[in-house]
Amino acid sequence: MVSARASTLERGRAPAAPAPAKGSYGERPGVAYLFLSPWVAGAVLLTLGPMLASLYLSFTDYDLFTSPKFVGFANYARLFGEDAHFLSAVWATVKYVLLSVPVQLVAALAVALLLNRASRAQGVYRSAFYAPSLLGASVAVALVWRALFSTDGAADQVLSLFGVRTGGWVTDPGLALLVLVLLGIWQFGAPMVIFLAGLKQIPPELYDAAAVDGAGWWRQLRSITVPMLSPVILFNLVLDTIRAFQVFNAAFIVSNGTGGPGDSTLFYTLYLWQKGFVDFKMGYASAMAWLLLLGIALVTTLIFRSARSWVHYGGDER
Amino acid sequence: MIRRVVWHVVVLAVLAVMLYPILWLVAGSFKPGASIASSVGLWAGSLTLDNYASVLGPAEIPVWRYFVNSTIVAGGAVIGNVVTCSLAAYAFARLRFRLRAPLFGFMLATIMLPQHVVLIPQYTIFQRLGMVDSFWPLVLPKFLATDAFFVFLMVQFIRQLPRDLDEAARIDGCGPIRIFAHITLPLIKPAMITTAIFTFIWTWNDFFTQLIYLSSPDKLTLPLALRMFVDLQESASSFGPMFALSVLSLLPILLFFAAFQRFLVQGLATSGLKG
């Protein structure tokens, strides 16, 4: 048994037989890299290399078919100086993030609180609320949303019962973004499941003690639940924000790839796709990609900075 | 007792609102005629299978082709992720090597990396390799463990397994490869199932990558085929077939979810909390 010898060697005892030759599998670094080799290949060839390449391409004119031409900061200057669509895209995306993320998290927490109850039905309910998170990213559901909010679609029919006439949300520059926000909020199941798991880790004694002291439901929520849950809130907030910045499918389907009406649903990634894969301005699109990375990094940093003042780590958390 | 009934009623009411769009889609796929989008109710007075017949009927590219293509892409991604992510996770969680800390840090950082930053060079690579408009660009990266989220999920899972078994096997003379094959692998089955199901669902739903890499009509996947309905959608008669194909495309997700929801919900909860 070759490996037996290797592990004996490691323990510092004299080997019973001559030291193992090639092909032995002790706790040797080589074995670890054998396990890691697919990951290392991917990390170098498909992640690190392409990251650096796209950083370089962002300073070039590149159309995929001719070799890239170095242009310095021209792409970046054009993005901020001349490209009105780019600024619309940033604005539409920021609005989407600011509207969908907070509401989604509040909905997730509210439903988690509602479900956090000793009942045999809890598991079933939890799964049912989680289902939209799995379906919501699909083209099929985006098509449903488009139909629901089309002119004379079901949403219009319901609102007309209350005397409100909107006449086609999807084609209204003021309402089209709202359709996408609603679709985003609808997928609150994933953070809800995480909240629910977090709620179960709060010791019930805390609530008993608070109740003895006469704290009501709202006071308990503010003083026990939210502080105890704050690391989980931070986790969901960061994850959801990063995800929301990159939403593509819904905007593509609802606007049929245009980002219309009037750039109102021109999400950042949609505009990046248009530039890179419709206009073949791939240097320009690379510059946009790096700005997206920087923007996400900046926002994430700000969230973590702010977390110092509102996230409480209890004794046994992490 | 009354409180409990009230609770069930409230939960079910919220749930009904939440699931209405899905029910409306399913009901719509069985509704006749052109009024599908504008009818709010779920029951139109009669049931028809015409929409399904028209989708499944003869066409230039039969619908089963899209299902086969989506299955190839999703199936390849599942195999790639399960195999390579568990190998990498075992190395990160249990083996010692000099670059472990920096490589692990890099792996964690890539979980948050927007794919757009690597998109254009990756596209260039696959274009040079002549792989654009084939399934390779969609499957090959999964065999290089590029979905760091799943590596992380499995690292977390392996770390919480007791080390005693590993130690015992080592004393009995097992090397890392045999320990992985005979001890770790059987124990991480739940994490592998979670990885498989999430990979399947996310790849099945993926639109962006497939939109970029696939263009021939016979290579289209379900999301790309569904997208073609957007162009037709101005004519109301296309709603029925569109809804029918939408339901068919969501069916595998719903079935997998129904069968494995325990793994999904638990995987989500553990990866989120024990991070």
Side-chain angles (χ1 to χ4, degrees):
Chain A
M1 202 60 71
V2 185
S3 46
R5 289 180 208 144
S7 69
T8 327
L9 260 182
E10 220 175 276
R11 272 153 208 284
R13 274 186 256 133
K22 59 185 160 67
S24 73
Y25 300 117
E27 270 265 6
R28 294 186 168 194
V31 183
Y33 291 116
L34 195 65
F35 277 95
L36 269 186
S37 52
W39 179 83
V40 170
V44 173
L45 296 174
L46 293 176
T47 307
L48 193 60
M51 271 182 80
L52 298 174
S54 82
L55 182 61
Y56 169 70
L57 287 176
S58 75
F59 297 104
T60 66
D61 260 344
Y62 178 49
D63 63 1
L64 191 65
F65 303 107
T66 53
S67 54
K69 203 165 75 221
F70 190 78
V71 294
F73 281 93
N75 287 329
Y76 293 94
R78 194 151 16 119
L79 279 169
F80 287 108
E82 300 159 34
D83 193 342
H85 291 299
F86 173 72
L87 297 178
S88 319
V90 171
W91 180 225
T93 309
V94 168
K95 267 198 291 192
Y96 174 79
V97 171
L98 289 178
L99 286 172
S100 71
V101 172
V103 180
Q104 194 202 44
L105 289 184
V106 170
L109 183 56
V111 171
L113 286 169
L114 178 67
L115 290 188
N116 188 31
R117 199 170 204 281
S119 166
R120 224 179 289 163
Q122 192 199 52
V124 178
Y125 289 149
R126 181 178 63 174
S127 294
F129 276 109
Y130 179 54
S133 280
L134 291 177
L135 303 174
S138 66
V139 169
V141 167
L143 286 169
V144 172
W145 238 254
R146 195 182 145 96
L148 265 176
F149 292 97
S150 61
T151 311
D152 287 327
D156 267 6
Q157 304 282 330
V158 171
L159 283 178
S160 66
L161 295 179
F162 301 98
V164 185
R165 283 227 54 89
T166 54
W169 298 52
V170 168
T171 45
D172 183 329
L175 293 174
L177 184 70
L178 202 58
V179 174
L180 301 178
V181 169
L182 284 172
L183 178 52
I185 294 168
W186 185 64
Q187 301 167 50
F188 67 71
M192 186 274 291
V193 168
I194 297 172
F195 275 139
L196 197 53
L199 285 173
K200 286 185 180 151
Q201 294 192 340
I202 301 178
E205 303 91 73
L206 290 179
Y207 293 104
D208 299 340
V212 170
D213 290 344
W217 179 84
W218 176 246
R219 187 65 211 255
Q220 291 183 14
L221 178 70
R222 263 182 45 215
S223 304
I224 300 173
T225 311
V226 169
M228 290 298 286
L229 217 50
S230 56
V232 186
I233 297 177
L234 174 66
F235 176 86
N236 277 334
L237 177 64
V238 170
L239 233 60
D240 262 19
T241 308
I242 293 176
R243 184 197 49 75
F245 269 109
Q246 302 177 51
V247 165
F248 177 85
N249 295 5
F252 186 99
I253 295 300
V254 167
S255 73
N256 197 11
T258 65
D263 285 355
S264 63
T265 61
L266 186 64
F267 282 176
Y268 197 96
T269 54
L270 183 54
Y271 189 53
L272 193 155
W273 172 79
Q274 289 181 353
K275 280 293 155 193
F277 294 91
V278 179
D279 302 345
F280 286 98
K281 291 189 193 304
M282 294 202 154
Y284 202 68
S286 298
M288 283 190 68
W290 268 88
L291 287 175
L292 177 66
L293 178 63
L294 293 179
I296 289 177
L298 180 73
V299 171
T300 312
T301 311
L302 287 177
I303 294 175
F304 275 113
R305 275 279 167 79
S306 81
R308 286 179 201 161
S309 64
W310 61 267
V311 174
H312 305 266
Y313 288 103
D316 59 345
E317 290 260 2
R318 280 161 214 250
Chain B
M1 184 61 206
I2 291 173
R3 281 177 67 108
R4 257 181 57 179
V5 172
V6 170
W7 181 72
H8 282 286
V9 169
V10 171
V11 171
L12 286 172
V14 179
L15 203 54
V17 175
M18 281 289 293
L19 296 184
Y20 170 75
I22 299 295
L23 298 174
W24 186 72
L25 165 69
V26 176
S29 71
F30 293 105
K31 281 178 199 164
S35 64
I36 289 171
S38 56
S39 74
V40 178
L42 300 176
W43 175 244
S46 65
L47 269 176
T48 174
L49 290 174
D50 289 355
N51 300 323
Y52 288 91
S54 105
V55 161
L56 297 171
E60 206 177 316
I61 310 277
V63 149
W64 60 261
R65 183 86 232 179
Y66 306 131
F67 271 90
V68 169
N69 292 344
S70 271
T71 307
I72 293 172
V73 172
V78 166
I79 296 169
N81 265 353
V82 168
V83 172
T84 59
C85 292
S86 58
L87 288 174
Y90 178 71
F92 279 128
R94 283 289 152 92
L95 300 180
R96 263 174 244 251
F97 50 100
R98 191 174 304 162
L99 290 175
R100 187 165 99 155
L103 290 183
F104 189 66
F106 180 76
M107 190 275 291
L108 285 184
T110 58
I111 294 180
M112 296 297 169
L113 196 73
Q115 59 160 324
H116 309 86
V117 179
V118 294
L119 182 70
I120 280 154
Q122 276 190 9
Y123 189 86
T124 308
I125 292 170
F126 287 120
Q127 197 250 349
R128 296 286 140 85
L129 292 172
M131 289 177 174
V132 167
D133 201 23
S134 80
F135 299 134
W136 287 112
L138 305 169
V139 174
L140 206 57
K142 313 291 180 184
F143 278 88
L144 299 178
T146 47
D147 276 351
F149 172 76
F150 296 116
V151 179
F152 176 66
L153 185 99
M154 293 218 217
V155 167
Q156 293 296 93
F157 197 88
I158 295 174
R159 274 183 180 165
Q160 55 153 31
L161 297 175
R163 277 175 179 271
D164 316 6
L165 285 173
D166 295 40
E167 290 300 322
R170 238 163 63 118
I171 290 164
D172 285 350
C174 280
I177 293 182
R178 295 213 326 175
I179 293 179
F180 174 72
H182 295 293
I183 295 173
T184 313
L185 215 48
L187 289 175
I188 61 170
K189 258 189 207 145
M192 293 171 91
I193 294 174
T194 307
T195 300
I197 304 302
F198 269 123
T199 304
F200 178 83
I201 292 176
W202 288 347
T203 316
W204 193 265
N205 278 341
D206 172 45
F207 176 62
F208 187 69
T209 334
Q210 298 174 6
L211 174 72
I212 283 169
Y213 284 111
L214 302 175
S215 51
S216 309
D218 63 326
K219 300 242 173 61
L220 297 188
T221 54
L222 274 168
L224 296 175
L226 275 170
R227 178 231 165 165
M228 294 189 300
F229 279 102
V230 180
D231 294 322
L232 304 171
Q233 218 189 50
E234 305 319 319
S235 65
S237 59
S238 67
F239 272 116
M242 181 186 94
F243 274 33
L245 187 55
S246 293
V247 170
L248 291 175
S249 79
L250 293 178
L251 219 51
I253 299 182
L254 286 172
L255 291 178
F256 269 89
F257 179 60
F260 294 103
Q261 43 100 359
R262 190 165 56 90
F263 290 97
L264 294 185
V265 170
Q266 273 168 11
L268 197 64
T270 45
S271 70
L273 281 179
K274 292 182 182 154

